Every structure is written in structure tokens, then in C-alpha cells.
Amino acid sequence: MALAGSDVLAESWTSAAPGYDELFVPRFAPWTEDALAALTQHKHSLPEDHEVLVPCCGPGQELLPIAELLGGERAVRGTDLAPGMIEIAQSRCVAAAARFGRMSAEVGDAMAPGAGPYAAIFSVFGLQQLPDPVAAIEAWVRALAPGGVAVVCYWPMGAGVEAAGPWRHWGGLIRRAIGDAAARRGAAGWEDALAGAAAAAGAEVLADEERRHRIEWPCPAGMWEGMTRSGPWHAQRVRRGDAFVDGLRDDFLAPYAPQEPLAHNPAARLLVLRKRRSGE
């Protein structure tokens, strides 16, 4: 029986969690810093007496920086579908407990953030994985306290992330292998609907910006192993098996010099939302 999408993500990211923490947390750090800087701009105006939710928290690398940013005055709670990710996140919470005892991490579905209300919702590279990103944004806005802020960084679809490069190359291989419809993440056009959905749910869009940074691997094969064993492409191993993924390896590596570093500059989107107060 084929796994449901959420089950694929939970299984894939649990298996990939240690490698993701080692290989991708540092490579994705510039975007995390961008999101933290955006939260910093609003930290003094956040509504009082409410916690911060970090959906799709992965191995929890963002929890301590958020707690430090807010001076340990608020509870910071991470959730993720993957138990393997939460295990690592909980170890970070335990290590920081002497200074920040109000950090926590638990298995949870980002599509169902709970009633809240939250002072802030902070998510980096989770939104694009969800089955319905538009519904997720609506749920996150509804769960904010009035005046609360959502800082959401996500990978856009297709050429939005890079017009040419190894991720674009991989996407082409996948589309040729399984077809455009099967390769698509989410409903067509979901990115264009985010701002309108957020506004309809009661938010003001404070920022919607492109953020581009450099990622480098020591060689193309190193990138292939990282992406398909510990990164976003690992889900294809869970969905379609190792033979399918490994059958694409030679085609993926073909354009690149085998001993040369492989670098690219993908672009993410940074979305900052504020829940309107009554009367605004």
C-alpha cells in the first residue's frame, strides 16, 4: 500500500534527520539568519503572555536562537511530523534547559497548529512541503494573537528557486521520469495565493521578498549523496525506491566535472505577516 504524503514525509525525514542536521542545517543557515533578522524587527511589539510556535522545526536548530532573541521570556515550542527530527530537537532543548527552560519540541502536524494564540509563528523551509500551503498560511494566521507575527521562509516552485542549476536539473529529471503532474508539489499556483489568503485570514503582509544565498558542495557526487540520503530528495527513495532514485544518478552527474566543487545560488521567499488587531 502506498504511503500517504504525510507518512512519506515523516518516514523520510526521520531517516534523514542526522544527516540533515550535519549537512543542511549549516548550508541553510543564511536563510535562517534572514528569518531571525525579520523576527528581531518585531520582537518588542509582540503580544505579551503568548508562546512562539515553530512548525516544521526539523532538528530544532532555530529554537535556541529564537529563545535567545526573546530573552528567554517566552515559551518556544517546535513541532515536526518526523519523530527522528524531534528526537534531535529535544536533545537541543535538554542541552539548553539550564538557560532556557521554556523550550520544547514535540511531534505535531504543521497543518493543525492548534488554537494558540501565539505571539509569533516562525517557519523556515517547511511550508513548501505541506499538502496545502495556502490552508497552512490561513491556519497560522488564525492561530496568531492580535498583533502577532508570522515569519515564513519557503522554497518557491520551479524556476522561482533557480532558473538553471542542480536543483533545476534534478526537477527536469524527475518530471521526465514521472510526469509533470506527479512531480508537482502542491496545487498549481499556490504561491500566488499566499498573500491573499493571509489577508483574508486577518493578516497584513509586511514583507514578501526574495532571499538568495550560495550553497556549495565539495563535488557533484557529494551533493547527490547528501540530497538523496539526507535532504529533500530522500522522499523519492521512500515513495519510489532506491532503484528509481539511483537510476537517475548518472544523468544527474553527467553535466558536471566530477572532481570540481558544485555551487549554486537558490532563491527562497521570505514572507512576514502581522495579525491585525481589532479595528485595524
Side-chain angles (χ1 to χ4, degrees), residues 15-268:
S15 175
Y20 182 90
D21 197 32
E22 176 186 356
L23 297 174
F24 288 91
V25 166
R27 286 179 167 87
F28 290 168
W31 289 277
T32 301
E33 292 298 323
D34 287 343
L36 288 168
L39 183 61
T40 299
Q41 294 179 20
H42 303 282
K43 70 175 185 177
H44 296 301
S45 61
L46 295 178
E48 298 180 358
D49 302 324
H50 299 297
E51 70 177 343
V52 175
L53 179 68
V54 186
C56 308
C57 72
Q61 73 276 9
E62 300 147 359
L63 302 180
L64 179 57
I66 293 171
E68 290 176 331
L69 173 65
L70 300 178
E73 299 174 356
R74 299 177 186 273
V76 179
R77 179 166 58 91
T79 65
D80 200 280
L81 275 179
M85 288 291 193
I86 289 300
E87 183 177 348
I88 298 173
Q90 288 174 339
S91 71
R92 283 189 159 99
C93 294
V94 170
R99 291 188 297 147
F100 299 103
R102 302 181 70 191
M103 285 170 44
S104 63
E106 61 192 41
V107 174
D109 185 354
M111 294 295 299
Y118 302 105
I121 292 178
F122 184 98
S123 182
V124 178
F125 299 149
L127 183 68
Q128 77 282 345
Q129 300 184 63
L130 299 178
D132 190 339
V134 175
I137 283 289
E138 292 171 338
W140 295 355
V141 170
R142 287 194 296 267
L144 287 171
V149 172
V151 177
V152 182
C153 189
Y154 67 91
W155 294 120
M157 299 288 290
V161 70
E162 59 181 14
W167 287 3
R168 183 73 168 168
H169 177 39
W170 164 259
L173 294 176
I174 287 292
R175 287 190 296 275
R176 284 195 292 274
I178 65 176
D180 288 346
R184 183 180 297 120
R185 290 183 284 113
W190 63 262
E191 294 166 279
D192 296 334
L194 289 178
E204 174 188 5
V205 179
L206 302 179
D208 184 2
E209 304 168 353
E210 179 184 282
R211 295 301 176 98
R212 187 180 298 273
H213 296 289
R214 182 178 178 86
I215 296 176
E216 185 167 326
W217 295 86
C219 63
M223 179 183 183
W224 169 264
E225 288 299 313
M227 292 293 291
T228 67
R229 299 287 182 186
S230 302
W233 303 349
H234 181 265
Q236 293 292 347
R237 293 191 181 275
V238 177
R239 285 190 179 97
R240 306 179 191 283
D242 289 336
F244 171 82
V245 173
D246 292 335
L248 299 175
R249 185 179 188 275
D250 289 347
D251 288 338
F252 176 79
L253 297 177
Y256 307 115
Q259 303 304 321
E260 294 294 324
L262 180 55
H264 63 134
N265 298 277

